[in-house]
Structure formats: structure tokens, C-alpha cells
């Protein structure tokens, strides 16, 4: 088993004072988990939904999840071979790109990958998502909507009117086209129509094992190709 490298004190004084204590605590928590758990898994998230991730956390109460603040997590693990807290953790740090996180656990790789491969949930698309199908409404009564929603539906772009107290579509209307980027109005309409066009999915990208410091890039470098979309609040952290 490789010897633990000595943790180095890292100054966070270049960051804004607001939240500095929280960031320092995060660094300490992550370093504590490095010593406590057998495995660290790097994961990416598609179509993030806080409630769904919370559900996973509840199922994995014997593990620790860290999501967001990629640069702070990278500092805690070590950005380089010289500064890493244990062997090969810098390989995790350099893959912290975009919407991703890490989970510390004692669960073996086969169990973790199998769980997340099966844990895929459909959900409503949001503005900016790509439409997965063309949705067209035919003229006629829209009886699923109460009469008092008619003004709101018109505001969202539906050509409607009230006819004998029933919301009625006056002509054929295409809500969205397959492959197009959804607008806020289209996303709201799809939700009102109970049309799911998004999938919440967590993908394991890499795994690090404490016992021998072994690192495996399961995602074949996908994380290295993603743009780093961390907030400007962390840009000056070293």
C-alpha cells in the first residue's frame, strides 16, 4: 500500500471572503473522506434535478457525495502529482469539468456502475434542452385544461379561445420540432401536456482505489473534452 502523502496547507486568500470558511471546510471534509473510504468515483450528470439526486443520496447514506465547486474539490485532492494527497488523485482533479461530482464509498466498481446504469429517470425538458420529437396539436377542444387557463395558454403561444366555457385550439399548432432548442414557452407547454423529453442520468466517468492508488478512466477521456463551466467566484483559486 502506498504511503499517504503529507497534506499541505493551501491558502485560499485569493478568493472572496464570502464563503471562504465554507470552502476551507469542504477541503477538509474531502481530505477526510480520502482516508476514510476505499473508493472515489467521478461522475457526470445529465439534466440535473436536485430532487432526484437527493433521492440517490438517501439511498447511499453510507457514502459521501460532493457536487459543484470543481476547483475547490480539485484543490482538496491535489491538482498535480506533487500536490496530490494520495497517489493518482490528480488524475481525478484534471477531469473535474462541467456538471460533475465525486462520491466516496466502500462499494466496489461493479456494484456502483450497475446501479447508475439502471438509475435513469425521464423528466420534463427545460429551456435550452433539445426536443427529442415533434409535437403537433390538432384543432379542437383541449378539455384537459380548465377554462381559467386559456389566457395563459395564449400567452405561451397557443392559438386558443373559450368556446362555451371549453378551452379550444383554433388551428393546428406545432409546439416544438425534433432537434430544435426549446424556448421557455415551449418547455412550459410540454410540461402542461405531460410530455417528457429529458432523462436524468448519472454516469460514472472514473474510479480511484485507495488500497493501491489505482486510477481508471471509465469514460475514455470524455471529461477531459468538456468545457469548464465553473463560476467566476472560483476562477482565481490556486
Amino acid at each position: 500500500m502506498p504511503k499517504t502523502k503529507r497534506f499541505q496547507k493551501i491558502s485560499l486568500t485569493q478568493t472572496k471572503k464570502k464563503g471562504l470558511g465554507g470552502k476551507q471546510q469542504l477541503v477538509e471534509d474531502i481530505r477526510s473522506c480520502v482516508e476514510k473510504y476505499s473508493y472515489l468515483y467521478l461522475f457526470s450528470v445529465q439534466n440535473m434535478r436536485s430532487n432526484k439526486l437527493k433521492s440517490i443520496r438517501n439511498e447511499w447514506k453510507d457514502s459521501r457525495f460532493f457536487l459543484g465547486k470543481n476547483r475547490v474539490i480539485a484543490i482538496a485532492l491535489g491538482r498535480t502529482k506533487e500536490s496530490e494527497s494520495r497517489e493518482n488523485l490528480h488524475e481525478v482533479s484534471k477531469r473535474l469539468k462541467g456538471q460533475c461530482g465525486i462520491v466516496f464509498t466502500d462499494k466496489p466498481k461493479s456494484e456502483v456502475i450497475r446501479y447508475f446504469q439502471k438509475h435513469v429517470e425521464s423528466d420534463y425538458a427545460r429551456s435550452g434542452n433539445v426536443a427529442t420529437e415533434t409535437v403537433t396539436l390538432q384543432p379542437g377542444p383541449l378539455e384537459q385544461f380548465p377554462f381559467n387557463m386559456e389566457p395563459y395558454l395564449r400567452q405561451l403561444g397557443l392559438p386558443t379561445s373559450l368556446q362555451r366555457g371549453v378551452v379550444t385550439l383554433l388551428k393546428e399548432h406545432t409546439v416544438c420540432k425534433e432537434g430544435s432548442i426549446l424556448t421557455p414557452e415551449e418547455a412550459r407547454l410540454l410540461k402542461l401536456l405531460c410530455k417528457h423529453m429529458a432523462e436524468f442520468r448519472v454516469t460514472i466517468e472514473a474510479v480511484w482505489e485507495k488500497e493501491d492508488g489505482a486510477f481508471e478512466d471509465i469514460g475514455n477521456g470524455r471529461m477531459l473534452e468538456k468545457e469548464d463551466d465553473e463560476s467566476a467566484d472560483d476562477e482565481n483559486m490556486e
Side-chain angles (χ1 to χ4, degrees):
M1 179 185 297
K3 293 183 179 180
T4 303
K5 295 186 178 180
R6 186 176 182 180
F7 291 138
Q8 299 177 358
K9 287 287 185 181
I10 297 174
S11 173
L12 299 177
T13 54
Q14 290 184 343
T15 62
K16 297 179 181 178
K17 287 187 178 180
K18 182 179 179 180
L20 178 60
K23 292 174 183 178
Q24 290 174 330
Q25 184 61 54
L26 178 60
V27 169
E28 293 176 12
D29 289 346
I30 291 172
R31 288 179 169 179
S32 175
C33 287
V34 167
E35 300 305 314
K36 179 179 178 180
Y37 295 94
S38 300
Y39 299 94
L40 180 160
Y41 294 92
L42 171 67
F43 62 86
S44 60
V45 184
Q46 291 177 277
N47 298 304
M48 167 61 77
R49 301 292 187 268
S50 297
N51 62 324
K52 297 187 185 300
L53 188 61
K54 183 178 179 180
S55 176
I56 293 176
R57 287 179 186 265
N58 288 336
E59 291 184 36
W60 289 52
K61 289 184 178 179
D62 56 349
S63 305
R64 285 291 304 273
F65 284 81
F66 295 92
L67 184 70
K69 301 296 182 185
N70 288 350
R71 283 184 171 84
V72 183
I73 296 174
I75 286 174
L77 298 177
R79 285 181 162 181
T80 65
K81 195 171 183 63
E82 292 71 32
S83 64
E84 62 187 4
S85 52
R86 271 186 177 261
E87 185 178 2
N88 285 328
L89 278 178
H90 76 283
E91 293 289 350
V92 177
S93 294
K94 70 183 184 183
R95 288 167 172 78
L96 286 166
K97 307 283 184 179
Q99 196 163 62
C100 65
I102 59 175
V103 55
F104 290 95
T105 184
D106 290 324
K107 301 179 189 293
K109 183 175 70 173
S110 58
E111 180 181 345
V112 173
I113 292 178
R114 184 167 58 250
Y115 173 87
F116 286 110
Q117 283 178 340
K118 293 180 178 179
H119 198 96
V120 179
E121 298 184 50
S122 63
D123 206 333
Y124 298 111
R126 293 177 176 175
S127 171
N129 287 158
V130 177
T132 58
E133 62 178 292
T134 298
V135 176
T136 303
L137 301 178
Q138 298 301 319
L142 298 175
E143 297 179 350
Q144 67 267 46
F145 300 117
F147 72 93
N148 58 357
M149 279 194 66
E150 193 276 329
Y152 180 59
L153 293 173
R154 270 192 287 114
Q155 191 178 37
L156 294 179
L158 286 185
T160 59
S161 69
L162 271 181
Q163 297 184 7
R164 296 183 180 180
V166 178
V167 179
T168 304
L169 190 65
L170 301 177
K171 61 181 181 179
E172 183 181 281
H173 180 79
T174 299
V175 177
C176 64
K177 293 183 178 180
E178 182 179 359
S180 64
I181 303 297
L182 294 175
T183 66
E185 293 76 19
E186 290 170 345
R188 293 191 191 103
L189 279 173
L190 290 172
K191 186 172 183 178
L192 291 173
L193 294 167
C194 299
K195 285 281 189 181
H196 285 189
M197 286 196 181
E199 280 188 343
F200 168 78
R201 182 189 299 270
V202 175
T203 304
I204 299 299
E205 301 288 351
V207 57
W208 173 85
E209 187 172 353
K210 181 175 71 174
E211 184 177 1
D212 57 3
F215 173 83
E216 182 181 359
D217 186 349
I218 300 173
N220 295 321
R222 281 195 300 262
M223 298 298 288
L224 292 175
E225 298 173 0
K226 292 184 178 180
E227 293 185 359
D228 193 344
D229 60 359
E230 285 291 287
S231 64
D233 184 47
D234 291 327
E235 284 186 357
N236 294 321
M237 293 191 62
E238 293 296 342

